[in-house]
Amino acid sequence: MGDRDEEEELQMALRMSLHGSPPAQPEPKRSKPPSPAGESPESVARRKQRELMAAAAEKRLRSVAPPATVVLPPPATVAAEQTSAPEDAKEDVKVESEPTVVPMEDVKEAEMGVEVEVEVEKEGDELPPDVAEKLWVMVFGIGVSKAVLAQWSNQGIRFSSDAETTMGLVQHEGGPCGVLATVQAYVLKYLLFFSDNLGNPEVSDPSYASGQRRFYQSSFAARDDFSSLIEDVKTRALVHAMVEILFLCGTGKRAAVALIGGVNRGEIDASLEGLSVESAMDFQKVLRISTFTSRNDAFHLLLANIRLFESRLGAMLFLISSLLSRGLECIQADRDDPSQPLVTAPFGHASQEIVNLLLCGEAVPNVFDGKMDLGGGMSLKGIPNAVEVGFLTLLESLNLCKVGQYLKCPKWPIWVVGSESHYTVLFALNPNVQEENELEERESKIRKAFDAQDQSGGGGFISVEGFQQVLRETDITFPSDKLEDLCNPGIIVWSEFWQALLQLDKRSGGMKDPTGLMGKKQFTIYHFNGIAKSVLNGNANTGGSIPVQRPRICKLNVSVPPRWTQDEYLADVVSSSTSGSKDDSVLSLAPPFQTCQHAPLVDCIRTRWPRAVCSWVGDVPSIV
């Protein structure tokens, strides 16, 4: 019984020391009891080893903070049949608990009076060959090119060394931008709005963040002094972002972390040198999976292995972690066409399903809200609920899709921006940019009711019956002749409906507001493109000849006038100024004059803020 009690006390001391927080009331040291008479040599050796280990644990308890080299163990693993994770996840990854091991080298160092670093390792389990094959085909398909594999096996998740863009993740390869940009969006959430809470592993739980969001939305804004960020802050923000995404994929209950087995943390690049990942079997041999139900434990394992995610395999490992957190069967069920690979041919880009998985936790292929019923028991899957960071796309400005309100109006003012071939990030420092004025609230309500009746896949038109339902829900009353004009073609197009609303008085449910008081808005927003390209402005050269290869950040001034189109708004201003009118109320309500600049990014911004006018200094913001 004595040995068992000592073992239990020792394990408790070790656990407390590894969590890096001393007990509230440390007990005074006890004198060492005398050796029992007649104790065998084996018992004496075991007792001495336990005493040395306990001494090391007590030394750690006295320290203020845990050393950076300590690796926290995963939680005592819950067997697959006991967890509440999806059924497919139970089949995909099975994690066995392992005993705590203290190397004898640590005991010898303790005997010599050297401070002991107790390291608890858990490398994870291999994937069964059939699961590895299923995973590989799901991601890359059959017959993937070496060029695509090279893109995905040579992209780490690491920050820029450039002072101006030090908060950003650098992209060197073309394919993984969907993963990098989405992770970047979450990183910005923590750097901008949670920089004082990064020492708390639980900050990655969205329920913890809800109070902070109310605090910021009251009157506070983040700072844009990115050059002052220190490495530890950036690293912790990255780890928090990874933890949040993985648990989001695991429905908040679990997270899987994919690592490479047998890697020396001190020599990551050397350990990966010559490692080939060109087939499912190559992957299966080196991949090790650990599963967590505790955010705290997942945080510390990722923090201890962050250099591996910064290595050339980082983006691929995080994608695999996200897929396994969701579960392969659930991934396939999320998709409209599960026969296609998630990494698209021929250029190896991350599909919208990958981006949506990291944004909302489900690998749905569409960006509208909820599901779209096609009849006959068929439906298309969109974003199921509100998200922390959002998404905008140039494709919507080209009328090729419709982004729903969940993605357009995320909880934090941060958006992944999609073009035809690349993903970047748009963000604001003040959550107030998302607050709607009277005009925007009215417009959002009408648009939501209209979209609910739109069965065209985002084409922007509805049936006459659906139109009547919209009018009832939004308390709009058109004159009989105008209503007949709108309904006569048999379908109602959004643009025509909106133009009619602009001419309909507010008292009848329309948007006509001669004062312009309902609409004016001005704010600042930032755009970050992580791909390392030559910068063409005055700082483009180093040593007078070599272009600077770095990510780019652009600060945009945005003004949203109170009319549907900027042309109409400017026409009113010019008319008032040239008429010699004594009434300058229109001009006083106008934003300060600024040069209107255009780029494809502006078209993306206008999908979120219609009528927006943008200006910037320096290079044109690029979304490619």
Side-chain angles (χ1 to χ4, degrees), residues 258-457:
L259 302 174
I260 300 296
V263 171
N264 184 339
R265 285 203 193 96
E267 300 177 353
I268 295 289
D269 293 337
S271 299
L272 297 180
E273 187 175 353
L275 177 63
S276 173
V277 183
E278 296 185 352
S279 69
M281 291 310 298
D282 288 343
F283 223 35
Q284 194 269 338
K285 290 176 184 177
V286 299
L287 205 61
R288 299 294 180 268
I289 311 299
S290 299
T291 304
F292 300 92
T293 57
S294 162
R295 291 176 188 266
N296 181 71
D297 294 334
F299 174 88
H300 285 288
L301 183 78
L302 285 166
L303 184 62
N305 290 278
I306 196 61
R307 298 295 171 256
L308 182 59
F309 287 94
E310 292 175 347
S311 76
R312 65 180 181 87
L313 293 177
M316 183 186 292
L317 286 175
F318 188 71
L319 173 60
I320 297 306
S321 300
S322 303
L323 296 173
L324 293 177
S325 295
R326 175 65 175 156
L328 302 190
E329 294 299 329
C330 282
I331 293 290
Q332 294 297 70
D334 291 339
R335 309 173 66 194
D336 286 343
D337 185 2
S339 66
Q340 298 298 314
L342 291 169
V343 171
T344 61
F347 302 112
H349 295 137
S351 65
Q352 188 65 47
E353 293 156 313
I354 289 177
V355 174
N356 286 350
L357 172 67
L358 306 186
L359 289 175
C360 74
E362 298 183 14
V364 293
N366 302 296
V367 290
F368 51 72
D369 293 343
K371 292 184 178 181
M372 182 177 295
D373 187 6
L374 301 179
M378 298 180 62
S379 63
L380 299 176
K381 307 179 190 72
I383 305 301
N385 44 42
V387 295
E388 294 290 307
V389 297
F391 179 77
L392 304 174
T393 176
L394 182 65
L395 300 181
E396 182 173 12
S397 69
L398 301 174
N399 292 320
L400 298 177
C401 70
K402 172 64 182 175
V403 179
Q405 292 301 301
Y406 287 148
L407 291 177
K408 280 186 179 175
C409 304
K411 297 177 183 178
W412 298 95
I414 306 168
W415 297 264
V416 175
V417 176
S419 67
E420 301 95 327
S421 59
H422 188 46
Y423 294 99
T424 54
V425 181
L426 189 73
F427 63 97
L429 305 180
N430 195 331
N432 289 337
V433 302
Q434 297 227 85
E435 291 184 358
E436 294 185 326
N437 53 41
E438 183 182 354
L439 176 68
E440 291 171 326
E441 288 178 355
R442 180 66 177 156
E443 180 183 339
S444 294
K445 180 179 179 181
I446 296 172
R447 185 72 206 228
K448 185 175 181 180
F450 187 94
D451 289 345
Q453 302 297 326
D454 187 352
Q455 300 298 313
S456 66

Side-chain angles (χ1 to χ4, degrees), residues 16 164 234 246 257 363 470 587 601:
M16 294 175 67
E164 186 180 7
K234 294 191 297 182
L246 295 181
V257 178
V470 171
L587 286 175
L601 175 63

Side-chain angles (χ1 to χ4, degrees), residues 575-622:
S575 174
S576 298
S577 62
T578 57
S579 65
S581 172
K582 300 292 185 180
D583 183 5
D584 61 353
S585 60
V586 175
L587 286 175
S588 66
L589 293 170
F593 178 79
Q594 62 182 11
T595 302
C596 177
Q597 296 172 275
H598 188 265
L601 175 63
V602 177
D603 293 327
C604 296
I605 292 173
R606 285 176 177 167
T607 66
R608 172 62 180 85
W609 291 282
R611 310 173 299 281
V613 177
C614 300
S615 66
W616 57 86
V617 176
D619 297 335
V620 176
S622 172

Side-chain angles (χ1 to χ4, degrees), residues 249-260:
C249 296
T251 64
K253 299 175 182 178
R254 52 168 263 149
V257 178
L259 302 174
I260 300 296

